[in-house]
Amino acid sequence: MSVPDYMQCAEDHQTVLVVVQPVGVVPEDQFFKIYKRISSVSQVSIRDSQRLLYIRYRHHYLPENNEWGDFQTHRKVVGLICVTACASAKEWPQTAERFHGQKEVYGATLYDSRLLVFGLQGEVAEQQRTDVAFYPGFEDCPDVEKRVDDFVESIFIVLESKRLDRATDKSGDKIPLLCVPFEKKDFVGLDTDSRHYKKRCQGRMRKHVGDLCLQAGMLQDALVHYHMAVELLRGVNDFLWLGAALEGLCSASVIFHYPGGTAGKTAGRKPSVSQPADAGKRHRPGALSANGISADTSTEIGRAKNCLSPEDIIEKYKEAISYYGKYKTAGVIELEACVKAVRVLAMQKRAREASEFLQNAVYINLGQLSEEEKIQRYSILSELYERIGFHRKSAFFKRVAAMQCVAPTIPEPGWRACYKLLLETLPGYSLSLDPKDFSQGTHRGWAAVQMRLLHELVYASRRMGNPGLSVRHLSFLLQTMLDFLSDQEKKEVTQSLENYTSKCPGGMEVITLPEGLKLPPVPFTKLPIVRSVKLLDLPVSLRPHKVKGLLGQNMSTASPFIYSPIIMHNRGEERCKKIDFQWVQGDVCEVQLMVYNPMPFELRVENMGLLTSGVEFESLPAALSLPAESGLYPVTLVGVPRTAGNITVTGYHTSVFGVTSDCLLEGLSGVKTGGSLVEVIPALPRLQLSTSLPRSAHASQPTSKEELSSSVSVQLFNGETQQLTLTLENIGSEDIETLELTSKILSTKEKVFGEFLSWQLDDALSRLPLKAGQAVTLSVDIKVKLDFSGQESLLQDLNDDGISVAGLPISSPLRQLLKPRPENKTLGSESGRTEYSHIKTLEAVLSFRYSGGAGKVEGYHRELTLGVHVDVEPSVFFTRVNTLPATSTRQCHLLLDIFNPTEHELSVSADNNQDLVLHASECQRMAIQVDKFDFESLPQPDQETARFTNPKQLEEERQ
């Protein structure tokens, strides 16, 4: 016997074997439909007795295995059911002949046989025969099961008669010697009259009767016979049959202890306990009467005495297997006994001992096995290891079976079968095909083994001709095992991946295998690794501002309470919270990612863009190249919201090595985000500002902390006026419907006289609404008047005698009085010039507030700011002031020493005087005739103080 039945279990010893085979040409699907119906009759309750007959069906059974029927009767084919399709009466004789030929194959052991004929009608079909049943068609055969029932009963009658025939001890008759096939030649010429020989015959026959009793449903009798056989055979050292007797004893005991069976399938046999019990001789195993006490204590005691305990069952199995091991030709019997013992130990939850039996089974040599038999052997070993909870060992053997499917000796390797088996090994190695299982916590399982297995899956799927599957497995390997790959392996894996994706790009679709298994997509969240995601506000000039006083949508939903704990609880995750700025429909919005490249080579990321929800969003993809092991690297992704509403940035998409990935933020661990929900308001117009003056190099530091859209700078002499021409162009798609202009001088120590900035807006407003692409110009006058007096040290340096006359610096008499003069210092002219050459600075901000389109309806506007930076140089200094009496008593001469601090020639003109021309750094005296004060008309002292403390009035007085 060369082919083991790996599905055997201990309770199969009580079954009778029936072979069901097609005769002639029978469609396979129809045959198996009938086979399924026949095999549903797996146990039959025999009439007029309390016994059950169990049937084991096979549609394929080797005749050479049948030769071991005397050794263990459950291996003997006792019934044959043939299924045939016969269309006409002409074919019938040939069909009957074939049926007869089939019976010949198993002829020696058959108890009974049946032929089921489908499709034949007419005279032949009407003849009444016990061994043939005629049916009009495969679909029209209602009583198949009933026929099988009758057939099984006829088998039971033969079985029972054989049992009775063998069991009755005819002391006068000679007991034949039962043999296994390989023994026949050994017993030729033996002394058949010796006591040893007779004992051997008796022992073997006892064991055989035990088998028949077990099949006939007489467990108690079987136990007794097996015990007697063991004693007899042990005495004559008949080890092979002693092993069989011990195994029979174990099987009977297992049937008693585990009435539900040891096969491990839920659809096992019905527990024999449930059968009705006759209080007398035919008591079923374990049956109890109504009050829970055994109906027949004598048989129960007998059974308990003969039946092995669960521990003894295993001991006896070990002994039996050790005896089988003495015979090379009994390898199959030994292997099957190991498998049966393992199934029993699995029921007893004794995994370690079961593994010892399995280890023994691995090393049993069965001679030359075909590749298919090897695959079956390793697969069954794997299943048994799985049953006892040795998941990794189970996976190991399943992988061996997979490799056997594509062994070099096979002319047509079965890559599909190999792939399927490899997939089944994954759980044993703590591998799943879902990358989410590897995203959190520590890595489970041995990474080196897992990588090997994934590589084998990649190779198998490529040989199957499915590059898409290879790409998915290789992507999974790269994503989940990245931390365990060496630099060289990273290069090799990515090169392989690029080779595969050149033929079949990887995507985010779920791959469904023919077996129904679904392979989830593998997004490359580690290529590159993202550490933070930050939504950026619009540039200052494009930020929307809400018109104060208008109740927007946000106001209406606001809570009337100052504090509400409910709101706090509803916030949810940090990344779901709303950001306090807005984006604008139709304007480019930015999100900054901090990424780094974990690879030892440059990483090219093509087509990286944003994934969003809530608003129609046009993502503008970017391509980037990250240097090897780059460290944190900022990447800005942009897009344009096309509608208004709330938008959530859910993640980003990339294309790396030909694999496109959608990486969702919720699946990324360790990513910092300051929220990903932002409001998109309706579209607003966009204004571009260009000026006639050069842009300022000065970085203005406004006190209000607002950033300026742009700024201009200009250098003027004190008292000079410059015109600034501004061009305002609508570069957006919405019309500009409103425009306002305001100015603000930034806080300065200098006192500005007159208007610093002045403009006329009417002309520009008359051009509104300003369509897209249109421009309007506007002139702004910049006029500077500052006070450059109070340069005491300078004045002192310029005086001829170093002492000022009894006059005052004209523009600031009060300051001179209130602030005592510093000590005289001898200053060189150079230091004096540096002292005076301080340029005074004026800064102001022009703010353009404009709005239009749908955003205006919602109450939003934009502001464009222009910083104006003016450096003011002094144009003229009055270094000394004095008076002389004039001809008229009502007038006097005012003497002014005028100094030109500029590098240019300048002319000074005064009323009723000729012009005075001063060269650069030149000082000259000028006399001006002025009226004297009329002291009577002077105001009261308190008013006078007020008058003199007001610098503006002083300035006017001076003029």
Side-chain angles (χ1 to χ4, degrees):
M1 189 162 69
S2 62
V3 182
D5 178 2
Y6 293 101
M7 303 315 290
Q8 279 224 355
C9 35
E11 55 270 23
D12 285 345
H13 282 248
Q14 69 174 343
T15 60
V16 292
L17 180 60
V18 173
V19 172
V20 183
Q21 287 188 328
V23 168
V25 181
V26 180
E28 193 177 332
D29 56 334
Q30 298 291 4
F31 169 73
F32 279 106
K33 207 179 278 180
I34 297 297
Y35 177 77
K36 196 174 177 187
R37 287 181 64 184
I38 292 170
S39 56
S40 67
V41 187
S42 60
Q43 55 192 51
V44 176
S45 187
I46 305 302
R47 277 175 294 193
D48 309 325
S49 85
Q50 294 296 321
R51 284 187 269 167
L52 274 174
L53 189 64
Y54 293 97
I55 307 95
R56 191 165 98 257
Y57 295 94
R58 292 284 179 270
H59 54 77
H60 178 74
Y61 197 72
L62 286 176
E64 62 188 82
N65 282 11
N66 197 30
E67 291 170 8
W68 287 72
D70 284 342
F71 181 69
Q72 288 175 327
T73 55
H74 71 284
R75 298 182 184 279
K76 188 185 289 187
V77 179
V78 295
L80 175 69
I81 299 177
C82 286
V83 177
T84 188
C86 190
S88 64
K90 279 183 189 172
E91 294 173 22
W92 170 242
Q94 192 185 1
T95 303
E97 188 63 36
R98 281 180 181 156
F99 174 51
H100 187 70
Q102 202 71 32
K103 283 200 286 188
E104 291 292 311
V105 177
Y106 303 107
T109 59
L110 285 183
Y111 293 175
D112 202 354
S113 56
R114 290 284 183 277
L115 175 64
L116 306 180
V117 184
F118 293 90
L120 190 62
Q121 288 170 319
E123 271 179 52
V124 180
E126 282 159 17
Q127 55 183 309
Q128 296 294 317
R129 289 179 58 172
T130 51
D131 63 339
V132 182
F134 294 98
Y135 297 104
F138 285 104
E139 305 304 325
D140 185 12
C141 49
D143 66 339
V144 166
E145 289 84 356
K146 174 75 179 67
R147 291 271 184 163
V148 176
D149 260 356
D150 296 344
F151 169 62
V152 170
E153 285 205 14
S154 75
I155 286 177
F156 176 76
I157 292 163
V158 180
L159 173 69
E160 183 67 358
S161 66
K162 280 187 181 288
R163 183 188 71 78
L164 292 168
D165 183 41
R166 300 277 167 93
T168 47
D169 189 16
K170 306 186 184 91
S171 52
D173 292 1
K174 198 172 183 184
I175 300 170
L177 178 69
L178 299 172
C179 300
V180 292
F182 71 83
E183 285 181 320
K184 286 174 182 165
K185 61 180 186 295
D186 298 342
F187 290 146
V188 176
L190 266 185
D191 180 8
T192 54
D193 294 328
S194 69
R195 195 161 161 272
H196 188 278
Y197 182 81
K198 284 179 182 170
K199 249 188 155 179
R200 174 178 281 182
C201 292
Q202 275 179 321
R204 290 188 178 191
M205 186 55 75
R206 277 284 174 207
K207 187 258 166 218
H208 181 63
V209 174
D211 283 352
L212 292 173
C213 289
L214 193 56
Q215 282 183 311
M218 301 180 68
L219 190 65
Q220 173 57 32
D221 294 16
L223 284 164
V224 172
H225 286 297
Y226 284 137
H227 272 294
M228 289 168 73
V230 168
E231 293 308 313
L232 287 163
L233 294 166
R234 206 187 286 281
V236 293
N237 291 342
D238 191 355
F239 294 121
L240 183 64
W241 285 75
L242 172 57
L246 287 166
E247 195 188 338
L249 194 54
C250 292
S251 298
S253 302
V254 167
I255 290 162
F256 172 66
H257 285 295
Y258 308 105
T262 62
K265 293 188 178 111
T266 45
R269 61 193 55 209
K270 294 168 191 161
S272 40
V273 175
S274 62
Q275 298 308 320
D278 179 357
K281 299 157 190 136
R282 292 285 168 245
H283 181 69
R284 288 296 299 153
L288 300 176
S289 65
N291 61 358
I293 297 166
S294 176
D296 179 358
T297 51
S298 61
T299 54
E300 198 56 42
I301 291 164
R303 179 178 301 121
K305 187 174 147 195
N306 290 319
C307 185
L308 301 174
S309 69
E311 288 74 23
D312 286 345
I313 291 173
I314 303 307
E315 287 308 311
K316 293 288 184 269
Y317 261 127
K318 277 184 185 167
E319 194 182 339
I321 290 165
S322 71
Y323 294 145
Y324 290 150
K326 294 176 187 290
Y327 300 88
K328 272 189 180 174
T329 38
V332 171
I333 306 286
E334 184 187 354
L335 181 62
E336 287 181 5
C338 284
V339 170
K340 290 171 203 168
V342 169
R343 292 186 194 278
V344 175
L345 282 161
M347 294 290 288
Q348 296 180 1
K349 306 268 189 294
R350 290 157 71 182
R352 220 179 71 222
E353 289 163 82
S355 74
E356 288 168 15
F357 277 96
L358 275 176
Q359 201 60 40
N360 183 49
V362 172
Y363 293 116
I364 294 170
N365 181 15
L366 296 181
Q368 285 296 313
L369 290 180
S370 70
E371 297 301 337
E372 205 166 307
E373 286 164 348
K374 284 180 187 171
I375 293 164
Q376 190 191 8
R377 181 177 183 178
Y378 294 129
S379 298
I380 293 295
L381 281 170
S382 166
E383 276 172 38
L384 290 169
Y385 271 117
E386 186 69 33
R387 267 196 77 187
I388 61 172
F390 281 40
H391 302 297
R392 213 163 52 207
K393 197 90 164 187
S394 163
F396 171 81
F397 281 106
K398 190 139 285 177
R399 187 185 155 277
V400 173
M403 293 299 113
Q404 207 65 53
C405 292
V406 290
T409 49
I410 299 181
E412 287 183 17
W415 286 105
R416 210 164 279 284
C418 169
Y419 179 79
K420 189 169 176 289
L421 285 168
L422 282 174
L423 281 181
E424 290 171 19
T425 66
L426 297 178
Y429 291 118
S430 304
L431 254 183
S432 81
L433 292 174
D434 191 345
K436 286 180 187 159
D437 298 341
F438 288 82
S439 60
Q440 278 135 3
T442 52
H443 189 92
R444 285 181 65 237
W446 291 344
V449 177
Q450 291 170 339
M451 287 194 284
R452 173 78 181 267
L453 196 58
L454 287 168
H455 274 301
E456 284 165 358
L457 278 172
V458 171
Y459 187 70
S461 45
R462 179 170 78 82
R463 294 298 301 264
M464 272 161 59
N466 193 335
L469 214 49
S470 303
V471 169
R472 180 58 51 88
H473 290 309
L474 209 47
S475 304
F476 182 85
L477 169 68
L478 194 56
Q479 168 69 15
T480 57
M481 304 290 161
L482 190 66
D483 300 341
F484 302 99
L485 292 169
S486 68
D487 287 358
Q488 185 57 33
E489 285 170 332
K490 284 176 185 173
K491 285 178 185 163
E492 287 167 5
V493 170
T494 52
Q495 279 168 2
S496 304
L497 187 56
E498 283 178 316
N499 289 341
Y500 287 127
T501 52
S502 63
K503 302 182 191 86
C504 176
M508 286 298 289
E509 68 286 345
V510 174
I511 295 177
T512 306
L513 298 174
E515 297 82 41
L517 184 71
K518 288 183 164 54
L519 296 187
V522 182
F524 278 153
T525 57
K526 291 185 180 175
L527 298 171
I529 296 174
V530 174
R531 275 287 167 256
S532 73
V533 177
K534 183 184 179 187
L535 279 65
L536 302 181
D537 200 351
L538 293 171
V540 183
S541 58
L542 297 180
R543 282 177 202 165
H545 300 272
K546 190 86 171 175
V547 179
K548 289 187 177 70
L550 278 176
L551 271 179
Q553 294 163 317
N554 296 352
M555 297 291 284
S556 58
T557 57
S559 165
F561 300 107
I562 294 169
Y563 166 76
S564 166
I566 301 159
I567 297 167
M568 296 299 287
H569 291 306
N570 285 349
R571 274 210 184 134
E573 283 189 31
E574 180 196 28
R575 53 171 62 111
C576 292
K577 75 179 180 204
K578 206 165 183 179
I579 298 171
D580 58 1
F581 56 75
Q582 286 110 1
W583 283 351
V584 179
Q585 174 189 340
D587 281 356
V588 175
C589 304
E590 297 179 328
V591 175
Q592 190 182 63
L593 276 60
M594 295 304 287
V595 304
Y596 76 86
N597 169 20
M599 292 304 222
F601 49 84
E602 185 183 41
L603 181 67
R604 291 184 55 76
V605 184
E606 292 155 16
N607 200 22
M608 190 171 189
L610 294 170
L611 297 174
T612 60
S613 63
V615 159
E616 191 186 321
F617 186 81
E618 182 190 344
S619 176
L620 306 172
L624 53 137
S625 181
L626 296 171
E629 291 164 349
S630 61
L632 279 180
Y633 203 85
V635 174
T636 304
L637 300 180
V638 297
V640 180
R642 292 294 175 201
T643 53
N646 283 337
I647 188 170
T648 306
V649 175
T650 54
Y652 60 94
H653 63 82
T654 60
S655 177
V656 185
F657 307 126
V659 178
T660 53
S661 306
D662 291 350
C663 306
L664 300 177
L665 295 184
E666 63 186 18
L668 299 178
S669 54
V671 174
K672 288 185 197 157
T673 167
S676 58
L677 177 67
V678 70
E679 185 187 359
V680 178
I681 64 155
L684 283 168
R686 289 180 65 177
L687 195 59
Q688 191 181 50
L689 179 68
S690 50
T691 67
S692 57
L693 289 174
R695 293 191 59 169
S696 172
H698 297 271
S700 176
Q701 295 290 324
T703 50
S704 60
K705 293 187 181 165
E706 59 183 304
E707 296 174 52
L708 299 177
S709 314
S710 61
S711 59
V712 293
S713 65
V714 63
Q715 202 162 356
L716 298 177
F717 286 112
N718 197 13
E720 191 178 353
T721 301
Q722 168 102 26
Q723 193 176 62
L724 169 63
T725 306
L726 303 174
T727 306
L728 304 172
E729 187 184 354
N730 182 358
I731 57 166
S733 53
E734 303 289 321
D735 293 356
I736 296 176
E737 297 166 28
T738 63
L739 179 66
E740 297 171 33
L741 175 55
T742 55
S743 74
K744 179 172 73 178
I745 296 179
L746 301 178
S747 59
T748 173
K749 296 172 191 163
E750 305 303 330
K751 170 73 190 82
V752 183
F753 301 96
E755 276 197 24
F756 176 37
L757 301 172
S758 56
W759 61 83
Q760 283 296 318
L761 200 58
D762 299 346
D763 182 42
L765 293 176
S766 66
R767 301 277 303 279
L768 297 182
L770 199 62
K771 303 269 185 221
Q774 290 185 346
V776 64
T777 54
L778 177 68
S779 294
V780 175
D781 289 333
I782 304 173
K783 191 173 185 182
V784 287
K785 278 190 183 176
L786 291 182
D787 172 9
F788 274 91
S789 64
Q791 309 267 0
E792 294 87 350
S793 52
L794 173 72
L795 293 177
Q796 169 189 326
D797 186 42
L798 292 169
N799 284 339
D800 300 339
D801 51 5
I803 299 161
S804 178
V805 287
L808 297 171
I810 189 137
S811 57
S812 171
L814 280 174
R815 187 200 288 182
Q816 199 63 9
L817 288 172
L818 299 171
K819 191 161 131 196
R821 289 175 65 81
E823 294 301 315
N824 287 348
K825 292 176 191 168
T826 51
L827 289 166
S829 62
E830 238 180 77
S831 58
R833 193 159 293 186
T834 34
E835 182 74 33
Y836 112 83
S837 74
H838 275 313
I839 294 174
K840 295 193 177 181
T841 303
L842 278 181
E843 285 187 341
V845 177
L846 282 170
S847 295
F848 296 87
R849 181 181 290 193
Y850 63 97
S851 189
K856 176 176 178 280
V857 179
E858 296 284 320
Y860 287 97
H861 65 269
R862 277 183 166 151
E863 285 186 14
L864 192 61
T865 51
L866 175 68
V868 180
H869 178 100
V870 184
D871 288 332
V872 188
E873 288 186 46
S875 48
V876 67
F877 267 121
F878 299 97
T879 61
R880 191 161 53 179
V881 184
N882 211 339
T883 53
L884 284 176
T887 48
S888 163
T889 54
R890 289 240 166 246
Q891 292 181 318
C892 68
H893 288 292
L894 188 62
L895 298 180
L896 301 171
D897 283 7
I898 302 175
F899 174 65
N900 173 11
T902 70
E903 293 172 3
H904 308 278
E905 189 177 278
L906 92 96
S907 65
V908 183
S909 58
D911 292 347
N912 310 323
N913 257 62
Q914 62 181 39
D915 290 357
L916 179 69
V917 177
L918 288 171
H919 296 291
S921 304
E922 186 184 358
C923 187
Q924 285 196 33
R925 186 163 290 180
M926 188 177 197
I928 306 169
Q929 194 169 315
V930 293
D931 291 339
K932 288 182 177 178
F933 276 122
D934 180 4
F935 287 102
E936 289 170 6
S937 65
L938 280 176
Q940 295 304 313
D942 56 335
Q943 290 174 333
E944 183 185 345
T945 324
R947 180 164 168 242
F948 272 92
T949 48
N950 184 329
K952 188 152 190 177
Q953 288 182 0
L954 258 167
E955 166 71 5
E956 286 165 5
E957 196 62 50
R958 189 190 77 168
Q959 289 179 345

